[in-house]
Amino acid sequence: QVQVEESGGGLVQAGGSLRLSCAASGDIYSMNMEAWYRQAPGTQREWVASRVSGGATNYADSVKGRFTISRDNTKNTVYLQIDSLKPEDTAVYYCNIRARRRPGGILNDYWGQGIQVTVSS
């Protein structure tokens, strides 16, 4: 059993900052990749940022330079630091973790339920 839970969302003024947390719990042996997605009303869910265990990160063009994904390996927590928020960043943000539950086991994707980020102008 693996559970993923986001926290840290809320209402922020444009230009402000926010840090989202994604806590993974349960039977996780290793995390292979972490990613954040978001979905605004009336739109498809889009990829925002990803990180692999070696530390390499990738970002969507719309957030590059403003968003930072990181991981605390001591507690299986993934973060998304969001700076210089824009109204178009308003969306439900989802955490995705690709992980093994045992050595040599299959990689599975685990998703959080999403958390609302609202940016006022």
Side-chain angles (χ1 to χ4, degrees), residues 78-99:
V78 183
Y79 302 99
L80 186 68
Q81 177 68 40
I82 309 175
D83 297 318
S84 301
L85 278 160
K86 303 176 180 179
E88 50 263 44
D89 294 323
T90 296
V92 176
Y93 284 72
Y94 298 89
C95 178
N96 168 237
I97 294 175
R98 183 168 296 171

Side-chain angles (χ1 to χ4, degrees), residues 54-111:
T57 58
N58 289 284
Y59 300 93
D61 288 341
S62 60
V63 308
K64 193 171 298 182
R66 301 187 299 116
F67 288 24
T68 304
I69 186 172
S70 61
R71 181 176 67 190
D72 184 344
N73 291 324
T74 66
K75 53 185 178 181
N76 288 334
T77 300
V78 183
Y79 302 99
L80 186 68
Q81 177 68 40
I82 309 175
D83 297 318
S84 301
L85 278 160
K86 303 176 180 179
E88 50 263 44
D89 294 323
T90 296
V92 176
Y93 284 72
Y94 298 89
C95 178
N96 168 237
I97 294 175
R98 183 168 296 171
R100 292 181 172 89
R101 292 191 289 174
R102 64 189 184 198
I106 189 171
L107 286 167
N108 288 312
D109 281 358
Y110 303 95
W111 292 86

Side-chain angles (χ1 to χ4, degrees), residues 43-63:
T43 70
Q44 301 278 357
R45 186 177 299 186
E46 65 174 345
W47 167 78
V48 172
S50 60
R51 183 189 187 277
V52 297
S53 60
T57 58
N58 289 284
Y59 300 93
D61 288 341
S62 60
V63 308

Side-chain angles (χ1 to χ4, degrees), residues 7-13 18 20 85 90-91 115-120:
S7 62
L11 175 63
V12 185
Q13 292 183 348
L18 199 66
L20 304 181
L85 278 160
T90 296
I115 190 166
Q116 180 71 45
V117 172
T118 303
V119 184
S120 62

